Amino acid sequence: DLGIVLQAPHPRYDPLHPGRPWAAGSMAMALAAVVAAAMLSCHAAGEQVLLTNERSTAPAFAAGHGRSLSGCSPLEGGARRTCKRTRQPHHRMSPSMQTDQARAWKSFEEWAEKAGIQNPTIKMSEFASGLRGMKAISPVSSGDILVTVPSTSVLRVVKGQSRLPSRLKGYVSEGTWQGLEWWAQLAVLLLWEKGHARSPSTEPSSFVRWIEVLPKSLSTPFHWNEESVKELQYQPLIDKIEKQKREWRSIFDKISCDNPQFQEADFYNACEMARSRAFSGPYVGKLPKDQMFLTGLLVALSTQLHLLETSQAALGAVLVVGGILANTFLLPNFLGLTHYVIAPMIDMINHDGQSKSIVTYQALQAAFEVQSSSNFNVGDQVFISYGDRSNDQLLQYYGFVEMDNVHDLYEIADLDGKLRKKGGKGGSEVGSKDAYVSPKGLDEESMNRAKSLFPDEASARQAVKEILQDELNSFPTTLEEDEVALRSRSALQSSFPLALSFRVSKKRLLHQVLQQL
């Protein structure tokens, strides 16, 4: 079971389970040596590795990672934790639209089955909130495999190996492709599969049924007008949104020079699909099973026909298999290759920030797997984690806010300058770093800087407390006013509920840390 663990933020190692001996006698001894050596080689090489993500570790507000898949909801007191999240409410569909949607879902599920995607215990469903996700259709136990997706049924790009795919020649130029970020490359791939800006007759796509069930848009601030963005009341995210708009427009301009048929709105939608649905991990080549089998066959024949001593055959096989495994696992890792993948069906599972699960790439099966770490009853919605995402990241790229998000952060610009205004002395006045407040308090590095500027810890903590209170007082509205508005039916207009939920989450975070101080 040669599995690459794709999990953020910490690597997790699964035991390796050798297979049964093929036969008795000298052949069994030789093959056992080959298998054992190969597995030890994989394990020692760190073949089970950490999944990183665009969708990077806090406090950096990642630019350039896909979502890290790690989890289904943990059990708390014997029951699955229900996580509060705010998304833009969906409009009620007419009966004809519901029929069209059901037909598209059924068509996608039929395609997925033919593509080798297995999800025997969960299926797509729409929940009472109007959100689409995956629900359990039979009891799920911790450790069960929820979804298996063959590597042949995913969209993937490899960072560090940016050659233009052959099917995209004439679609965009080699130079443009190599200059694109991974998510823009995935967006171009997705648009090609969709038949956008090309003649579908040139080469039919095998992903059409999946593309038909993808969201037509997301409720991200990228689409909001200036007034709605200001309702966030949080300058760090406002600045990131403006930067995102400039960056995406610049990329579109380059691509449209290669192919004037590209439509701006469709490109932006494809970028959002890539940023919100992809996950990433160290690239691993496809394990050449035929070469492995041939090596085993040669070992068996050479020992049975007494062409080689058992020890000689086993040693030769170990060297061959070691070379194969090094080429498959170690060389890509040495070169720093990272693959970014959108896997149909896996991408339909919603996020819970406290979920804990294992997502692996099984090299022998050449497939991605999602493993549950919790028990689910029939009808329960099944969740995974997109990684340790702050609400800034969730709203900007996924279009929702997770209330009481344990991974949320509040950014404080020029903390050192603010500390000096509170009486702090010493330290460098140049290159002051930003600070980040999490539900656990001010980040350790920033707190140590604060202590270095004051004669004792109590004075430093008091200064930090005053700075956080100043941040809270700087908002145009109070937490109490926002919570009243959030409960009001009149707030359910346009993008206002999401902006309101976002700033409520930031103010609650500051309140929580102030109480701790």
Side-chain angles (χ1 to χ4, degrees):
D1 184 12
L2 304 179
I4 307 283
V5 174
L6 305 180
Q7 184 182 19
H10 305 294
R12 179 165 180 170
Y13 295 93
D14 291 337
L16 296 175
H17 305 288
R20 296 179 180 177
W22 286 10
S26 59
M27 180 174 68
M29 292 172 59
L31 292 180
V34 172
V35 172
M39 290 186 169
L40 286 173
S41 174
C42 288
H43 190 63
E47 173 250 339
Q48 303 186 23
V49 290
L50 165 69
L51 168 73
T52 58
N53 187 320
E54 70 309 309
R55 266 159 236 138
S56 330
T57 56
F61 187 65
H65 292 246
R67 74 186 180 192
S68 50
L69 291 180
S70 56
C72 297
S73 303
L75 295 179
E76 294 184 2
R80 182 174 58 79
R81 184 183 69 85
T82 301
C83 181
K84 297 179 180 179
R85 54 178 60 76
T86 302
R87 297 179 187 255
Q88 193 71 9
H90 289 209
H91 296 291
R92 293 292 179 185
M93 293 187 297
S94 65
S96 62
M97 291 176 64
Q98 291 176 350
T99 301
D100 292 342
Q101 182 188 68
R103 188 181 298 113
W105 285 8
K106 181 175 178 58
S107 179
F108 165 62
E109 289 170 344
E110 291 173 349
W111 169 83
E113 184 176 359
K114 292 179 181 178
I117 298 174
Q118 302 173 27
N119 54 302
T121 60
I122 61 175
K123 69 174 297 183
M124 290 173 59
S125 180
E126 185 169 310
F127 297 88
S129 61
L131 296 178
R132 184 175 64 181
M134 301 293 282
K135 74 174 182 181
I137 56 175
S138 62
V140 175
S141 300
S142 178
D144 287 353
I145 301 300
L146 297 172
V147 185
T148 301
V149 183
S151 60
T152 54
S153 299
V154 305
L155 288 184
R156 170 164 50 184
V157 296
V158 181
K159 184 178 180 180
Q161 182 180 309
S162 56
R163 292 188 300 271
L164 181 71
S166 58
R167 65 184 185 277
L168 296 185
K169 289 183 178 178
Y171 194 58
V172 294
S173 69
E174 181 79 35
T176 296
W177 174 263
Q178 292 184 359
L180 296 178
E181 294 286 348
W182 66 266
W183 46 267
Q185 290 182 342
L186 273 178
V188 171
L189 268 179
L190 184 59
L191 288 172
W192 187 93
E193 296 290 348
K194 192 177 180 179
H196 177 80
R198 73 177 180 94
S199 172
S201 61
T202 55
E203 185 177 339
S205 169
S206 59
F207 291 93
V208 171
R209 300 302 177 215
W210 165 63
I211 291 172
E212 287 176 347
V213 299
L214 291 178
K216 300 299 183 287
S217 63
L218 296 181
S219 303
T220 61
F222 182 85
H223 304 287
W224 299 0
N225 58 36
E226 185 177 352
E227 182 180 354
S228 296
V229 171
K230 286 181 179 179
E231 291 294 338
L232 293 168
Q233 299 182 359
Y234 186 69
Q235 197 60 43
L237 181 56
I238 293 174
D239 292 342
K240 292 180 178 76
I241 293 166
E242 292 304 314
K243 180 181 178 181
Q244 176 192 6
K245 290 181 178 180
R246 293 192 302 269
E247 182 181 23
W248 287 21
R249 178 56 194 259
S250 174
I251 293 173
F252 171 76
D253 288 343
K254 292 178 182 177
I255 292 176
S256 60
C257 286
D258 290 346
N259 189 338
Q261 296 183 62
F262 265 81
Q263 298 298 311
E264 192 168 0
D266 291 293
F267 174 70
Y268 293 156
N269 175 257
C271 287
E272 290 195 310
M273 292 301 102
R275 288 302 307 249
S276 64
R277 309 181 88 79
F279 59 93
S280 64
Y283 175 74
V284 177
K286 184 177 179 181
L287 196 65
K289 297 180 184 179
D290 52 347
Q291 295 180 28
M292 301 282 282
F293 174 77
L294 181 59
T295 300
L297 182 61
L298 290 174
V299 169
L301 290 174
S302 62
T303 54
Q304 291 294 328
L305 297 176
H306 304 290
L307 299 177
L308 290 174
E309 294 292 333
T310 300
S311 59
Q312 294 175 322
L315 178 60
V318 167
L319 293 175
V320 172
V321 172
I324 293 173
L325 294 175
N327 184 63
T328 304
F329 299 111
L330 301 183
L331 183 59
N333 189 55
F334 175 77
L335 295 175
L337 301 183
T338 301
H339 63 180
Y340 296 89
V341 181
I342 306 180
M345 200 65 75
I346 291 178
D347 71 326
M348 300 294 175
I349 309 177
N350 286 327
H351 167 78
D352 184 334
Q354 292 194 11
S355 297
K356 294 180 180 178
S357 175
I358 302 170
V359 179
T360 61
Y361 176 69
Q362 298 296 338
L364 288 178
Q365 291 81 16
F368 296 92
E369 288 184 348
V370 178
Q371 185 179 34
S372 174
S373 64
S374 304
N375 300 326
F376 292 91
N377 297 319
V378 174
D380 286 349
Q381 183 173 182
V382 174
F383 294 98
I384 60 176
S385 170
Y386 298 169
D388 296 347
R389 298 284 171 262
S390 68
N391 277 337
D392 303 55
Q393 294 166 304
L394 291 177
L395 181 57
Q396 183 177 5
Y397 293 115
Y398 302 86
F400 67 91
V401 173
E402 190 172 28
M403 305 305 289
D404 304 318
N405 182 357
V406 297
H407 304 299
D408 202 10
L409 296 170
Y410 186 96
E411 183 177 338
I412 301 177
D414 188 22
L415 176 65
D416 290 9
K418 291 180 171 66
L419 287 169
R420 290 190 183 88
K421 290 180 180 179
K422 299 296 180 182
K425 301 182 184 301
S428 173
E429 297 191 14
V430 180
S432 176
K433 296 181 180 179
D434 294 342
Y436 296 87
V437 179
S438 74
K440 295 180 180 179
L442 189 65
D443 68 275
E444 185 176 359
E445 181 184 352
S446 298
M447 196 67 208
N448 288 335
R449 291 209 312 273
K451 292 176 183 178
S452 70
L453 298 178
F454 290 87
D456 53 66
E457 182 176 344
S459 300
R461 292 172 66 86
Q462 180 60 33
V464 170
K465 183 177 180 179
E466 292 176 7
I467 291 172
L468 296 186
Q469 188 63 57
D470 291 344
E471 290 288 326
L472 199 55
N473 295 339
S474 68
F475 283 97
T477 56
T478 67
L479 175 60
E480 293 74 17
E481 291 170 341
D482 286 348
E483 288 181 329
V484 170
L486 196 58
R487 292 191 294 267
S488 172
R489 295 290 181 183
S490 63
L492 298 178
Q493 301 171 3
S494 185
S495 57
F496 187 60
L498 283 174
L500 188 55
S501 297
F502 175 83
R503 71 190 197 221
V504 164
S505 72
K506 295 298 180 184
K507 294 173 187 179
R508 284 181 180 175
L509 175 56
L510 289 176
H511 265 286
Q512 178 182 338
V513 176
L514 280 168
Q515 289 176 352
Q516 295 171 6
L517 289 171

